[in-house]
Each structure stands twice: as C-alpha cells, then as structure tokens.
Amino acid sequence: MNRTVLAERLRALDDQLARLDADAASLRADRADATADDEHDPEGSTLSGEWQRVEALREAALRDRAAVIEALGRLDAGTYGICIRCRQPIPAERLEVMPTATMCVPCASA
C-alpha cells in the first residue's frame, strides 16, 4: 500500500473533523440561545437531532482516523498487509478497497 493514499485519507479525515467540530460549535451556540424553540418547529430537524447526527459522524471519523494511524504504524513496522490472525498476506485488492484492513477476507469472515 502506498503511504500517500493513507496520508491523503488522514488529511481528508482531519478536514472532515474540522468541519464537524465547526458544526458542533454552531449547534452549541444555537442551543445556548434561550429563545430557540426548535423542538416545536414542524419544518426542520430539531437541534437535538442534528446534534446526534453530527456526533455520530464525528465518532465514525475518529474511528476511521485511528485506523489510518494504526495502518501507518504497521507500514513503519513492516507488518502492513499481513493478516493479524493467520499471518498470511492480505491480498492487494482487499487493501485497495479497505486500506486499513488488518485481516484477510477468510479471517475477517470467521
């Protein structure tokens, strides 16, 4: 796997997290507004619903970011592309689809 692909993915996740953090800050500001009565607005989503959506996206991005960092660590250690379960090489096709894969398909399916 090319280190460049993982580094680009890490940058994209950092950008996504920055956008989500800005969204969360905006929602916090909206929630602090004592006159905001979004819970009774039939036209849009509630602040609570939007907050949950942003937090779910943020948590997923943080998990993805951690997986990319771990993959970069495996690259540095020389263990990238080796299944952590059976110690056989992970096929290049799988790594192209899922660059952070830690297991080959048979082990991941088991």
Side-chain angles (χ1 to χ4, degrees):
M1 166 50 57
N2 190 338
R3 180 177 298 277
T4 304
V5 171
L6 289 169
E8 288 172 3
R9 178 69 181 139
L10 187 59
R11 276 190 296 279
L13 287 165
D14 285 341
D15 290 345
Q16 179 184 10
L17 283 165
R19 286 189 305 275
L20 291 168
D21 286 344
D23 289 348
S26 175
L27 287 169
R28 275 193 298 277
D30 289 346
R31 285 182 122 180
D33 182 4
T35 62
D37 187 18
D38 77 320
E39 301 299 325
H40 299 95
D41 180 4
E43 298 300 319
S45 65
T46 64
L47 288 176
S48 296
E50 188 64 14
W51 181 268
Q52 289 174 343
R53 184 190 71 79
V54 168
E55 281 302 304
L57 290 171
R58 190 172 181 285
E59 288 173 16
L62 286 170
R63 281 191 304 274
D64 289 349
R65 187 179 190 282
V68 170
I69 290 171
E70 289 173 7
L72 287 166
R74 288 191 303 277
L75 263 172
D76 291 340
T79 58
Y80 182 83
I82 304 297
C83 178
I84 62 170
R85 186 168 180 208
C86 71
R87 310 301 299 160
Q88 296 299 308
I90 299 171
E93 296 82 11
R94 176 165 171 75
L95 292 172
E96 284 179 32
V97 173
M98 185 182 279
T100 58
T102 59
M103 288 190 263
C104 62
V105 173
C107 288
S109 297

